[in-house]
Amino acid sequence: MAPITAPVTRTDFGTVKATIHRKLIQKLNLDRLTEVNREDVRREVTQILEALVVGESTPMNLQERERLAQEVLDEVFGLGPLEPLLADPTVSDILVNTHKRVYVERKGILEMTSIQFRDDIHLMGIIDRIVSAVGRRVDESSPMVDARLADGSRVNAIIPPLAVDGPCLSIRRFGRDPLTADDLLQNNSLTPAMLELLRGCVKARLNILVSGGTGAGKTTFLNVLSSYISNRERIVTVEDAAELQLHQDHVVRLETRPANIEGKGAVQQRQLVINSLRMRPDRIIVGEVRGEEALDMLQAMNTGHDGSLTTIHANTPRDALGRLETMVAMGSLNIPESALRRQIASAIDVVVQVSRLSDGTRKVISLAEITGMEGDVVSMQDIFIFHKRGIRDNGEVLGEFVPTGIRPKFAEKLLVSGIQLPIAMFEGQHVLGV
């Protein structure tokens, strides 16, 4: 009769994994691993692992041994406990609140996972692996860092002394296959008429500002809009951490650089925007305006670089314009308020407001046109809005995308560019439910 082995507890499993991981590192020639084919390395590591697992005194069944081997492989080649989450296409955010608590977001809803790190040192090792891969660092002298993963996912890490309870890590997922316009339609994020209008705006080289709160889907939407840019145009992107996924042939990607350990060598987004103007761009795409570079972006839009796209953190289109004013004021250039507003009114044509609703869905809740100035106020008009009617018992938000009945003034620009849209799409009775 075969002996009965008790299941290994989580504590025992973690201890065994740490022990085997340490023994494995001692046996491997790490310098040689970088020169050998990845699959050959994996086979070699797997063979050593099997021998180490068999030699362990802690009883384990076959399933537990395979799990242990996979987790150690994740420690060697990947991001340890986070690898299963990174392989899950339904996860849009991974939020590590110290080594003990890991949350994920699926379909806009947060949920806690059973995944844990051994301790703060284990978590710090994973953070260091992420940031060092893109030439950045995180330590007590620089306890906050933005980085990205190989698939474009955006990463933020903050460690003690700023993070009181221990290191924290946030990963905003961007899959290998970014969402397309068809995906947005299928998810009821907007209507075919709204999408057709925005496609025409991009083709006709209107300047578009995508506004929204954190996690509203601004970058995803910017990716979709950029897909309508012609392959014959030269695109220069400027980002804090490169995450846009453009598929055109002629794309130049620029990314900011933090200061080195001596506090020197930082390259800010404003410097990159200014430099991009010297690179003969047909289009400039700024991942997100968040500071003094807002003025340079507006000036670029006003001096022949039409068709530019950018995003901004704001809750309404009107708030977005207010934030732009504030950002320009950060440059301390003492530009009169009325002159600044006139520059905004002449630079930006369309403001697209995206939002994550209470049920986790993401929608375009407003598509507005900037029409000019009325006195000292920038005038705007909604072309489409999402009219919220209520919430079902299951939490689902009810509402419709509603044309306001206003034909946009930029329709003439679209017509000149050969883009003719049916007048019926702007009529008020054209209502689509969700």
Side-chain angles (χ1 to χ4, degrees):
M1 185 175 177
I4 299 174
T5 59
V8 182
T9 66
R10 181 74 212 180
T11 304
D12 289 341
F13 195 87
T15 304
V16 172
K17 187 174 77 169
T19 302
I20 290 183
H21 188 205
R22 186 172 60 253
K23 290 180 179 178
L24 178 66
I25 296 300
Q26 291 170 352
K27 284 181 174 289
L28 291 174
N29 182 343
L30 295 180
D31 292 333
R32 189 182 69 82
L33 291 185
T34 60
E35 303 168 3
V36 182
N37 179 278
R38 186 179 178 88
E39 284 307 313
D40 292 341
V41 173
R42 187 175 284 272
R43 278 194 294 272
E44 179 182 336
V45 170
T46 302
Q47 290 171 359
I48 299 173
L49 266 177
E50 288 175 355
L52 290 173
V53 169
V54 170
E56 279 299 311
S57 58
T58 305
M60 285 184 287
N61 58 37
L62 179 61
Q63 184 179 4
E64 288 170 336
R65 288 182 179 182
E66 289 177 348
R67 176 183 160 207
L68 176 60
Q70 184 57 53
E71 290 194 12
V72 175
L73 284 170
D74 288 342
E75 292 287 345
V76 174
F77 294 109
L79 300 184
L82 299 182
E83 281 298 313
L85 300 179
L86 292 169
D88 186 346
T90 66
V91 172
S92 56
D93 283 270
I94 301 171
L95 307 170
V96 182
N97 298 355
T98 73
H99 72 276
K100 295 180 181 178
R101 304 174 75 85
V102 179
Y103 292 83
V104 297
E105 180 188 286
R106 288 186 174 93
K107 297 182 179 179
I109 306 298
L110 283 176
E111 56 187 73
M112 189 174 176
T113 72
S114 59
I115 289 174
Q116 292 186 353
F117 293 80
R118 285 194 307 275
D119 47 33
D120 285 348
I121 295 174
H122 185 198
L123 176 54
M124 276 301 303
I126 298 299
I127 292 174
D128 281 331
R129 185 176 300 178
I130 292 171
V131 301
S132 62
V134 290
R136 303 198 174 192
R137 64 187 179 87
V138 59
D139 50 40
E140 283 193 10
S141 63
S142 180
M144 295 184 292
V145 66
D146 289 314
R148 68 180 186 278
L149 301 181
D151 66 358
S153 297
R154 183 168 59 200
V155 178
N156 175 268
I158 183 166
I159 67 171
L162 300 187
V164 178
D165 298 319
C168 295
L169 179 67
S170 305
I171 301 177
R172 169 69 52 80
R173 297 292 311 286
F174 291 100
R176 299 183 191 280
D177 300 315
L179 290 179
T180 64
D182 289 339
D183 293 324
L184 295 185
L185 291 175
Q186 188 174 349
N187 295 337
N188 289 320
S189 296
L190 76 173
T191 66
M194 296 165 69
L195 186 62
E196 184 65 16
L197 179 62
L198 287 168
R199 185 188 70 83
C201 291
V202 175
K203 297 277 188 183
R205 303 183 64 86
L206 300 188
N207 294 319
I208 301 175
L209 177 66
V210 179
S211 168
T214 301
K218 297 186 297 297
T219 303
T220 297
F221 203 80
L222 195 63
N223 267 325
V224 171
L225 292 181
S226 68
S227 68
Y228 296 126
I229 299 174
S230 167
N231 244 331
R232 296 191 298 270
E233 297 184 60
R234 174 175 167 86
I235 306 168
V236 179
T237 68
V238 177
E239 300 177 84
D240 222 15
E243 58 193 22
L244 288 171
Q245 296 169 296
L246 276 63
H247 297 292
Q248 285 84 351
D249 295 330
H250 203 159
V251 178
V252 179
R253 305 168 73 207
L254 306 181
E255 182 180 55
T256 61
R257 185 179 71 186
N260 60 21
I261 197 167
E262 298 170 350
K264 299 177 181 179
V267 178
Q268 305 296 333
Q269 203 161 247
R270 182 175 192 183
Q271 295 168 268
L272 294 180
V273 172
I274 294 171
N275 190 79
S276 71
L277 300 177
R278 304 174 185 139
M279 299 175 68
R280 196 254 172 229
D282 289 310
R283 309 257 189 168
I284 299 172
I285 300 179
V286 178
E288 181 185 339
V289 286
R290 59 180 70 184
E292 299 174 359
E293 71 276 0
L295 176 61
D296 305 288
M297 184 73 194
L298 291 174
Q299 289 178 335
M301 290 174 169
N302 272 321
T303 54
H305 297 90
D306 48 357
S308 296
L309 309 170
T310 189
T311 75
I312 192 169
H313 268 280
N315 293 323
T316 68
R318 181 63 63 182
D319 287 347
L321 302 189
R323 286 212 67 205
L324 275 178
E325 284 188 50
T326 303
M327 290 173 185
V328 174
M330 290 167 64
S332 303
L333 298 177
N334 297 319
I335 300 174
E337 188 177 84
S338 58
L340 173 55
R341 289 179 178 173
R342 279 194 296 273
Q343 190 162 17
I344 291 174
S346 62
I348 299 171
D349 299 296
V350 180
V351 180
V352 182
Q353 185 70 37
V354 295
S355 179
R356 182 174 59 178
L357 305 185
S358 58
D359 60 357
T361 59
R362 294 169 170 86
K363 298 189 187 299
V364 177
I365 61 171
S366 170
L367 200 166
E369 174 189 27
I370 294 182
T371 56
M373 297 284 294
E374 291 181 5
D376 286 338
V377 179
V378 178
S379 56
M380 304 176 70
Q381 59 185 18
D382 287 324
I383 309 302
F384 288 92
I385 60 170
F386 178 74
H387 176 62
K388 183 178 174 182
R389 285 190 287 106
I391 300 177
R392 284 200 175 106
D393 292 339
N394 62 1
E396 181 185 355
V397 174
L398 297 172
E400 300 88 27
F401 293 102
V402 184
T404 60
I406 298 173
R407 184 173 182 266
K409 291 185 176 181
F410 61 67
E412 299 301 326
K413 290 185 181 179
L414 269 60
L415 194 58
V416 170
S417 301
I419 301 163
Q420 189 163 3
L421 300 173
I423 294 178
M425 72 186 294
F426 303 114
E427 293 177 355
Q429 67 268 25
H430 178 62
V431 176
L432 291 163
V434 176

